[in-house]
Amino acid sequence: MQIQSSSHVHGAHALQGPYSARSQAARPQFSVTGMDDQLDISAAAQAAIEQAEMGDVRTDLVARIKNEIAAGTYETADKLDAALERLLDDVA
């Protein structure tokens, strides 16, 4: 996508063109040596992982909800209304 100004945006272009070919020497070279990947897990996520490892997960409830979601029966008008009410209570 090319952005010419704030009022004109081009759509997607094909991979083959209209770009000009650059030589390999003209392309910037990046080096990632000395950089290590890092994963930060929040305390809440760590607690959930620990609970799952200890067997505190209600597998019967999880299985029932997965089946309801797959069948398309999990989200009902009553559940959506209750969720909306809780959201509005939190916002207000």
Side-chain angles (χ1 to χ4, degrees):
M1 175 171 58
Q2 289 180 323
I3 300 176
Q4 302 296 333
S5 69
S6 62
S7 64
H8 185 73
V9 178
H10 287 275
H13 292 281
L15 293 175
Q16 291 80 18
Y19 314 106
S20 61
R22 287 195 248 171
S23 70
Q24 196 72 339
R27 293 186 180 149
Q29 299 297 317
F30 297 100
S31 173
V32 292
T33 57
M35 296 178 68
D36 293 325
D37 290 336
Q38 180 177 342
L39 173 66
D40 294 324
I41 299 177
S42 69
Q46 185 62 42
I49 291 169
E50 290 170 3
Q51 280 185 340
E53 290 173 348
M54 291 176 18
D56 290 345
V57 175
R58 295 176 49 194
T59 56
D60 57 329
L61 177 63
V62 172
R64 181 178 61 90
I65 291 173
K66 280 184 177 182
N67 289 335
E68 289 179 10
I69 291 171
T73 59
Y74 181 73
E75 290 182 355
T76 64
D78 292 337
K79 287 180 183 177
L80 293 174
D81 287 342
L84 182 58
E85 287 297 322
R86 286 192 303 266
L87 175 65
L88 292 175
D89 288 343
D90 286 347
V91 172

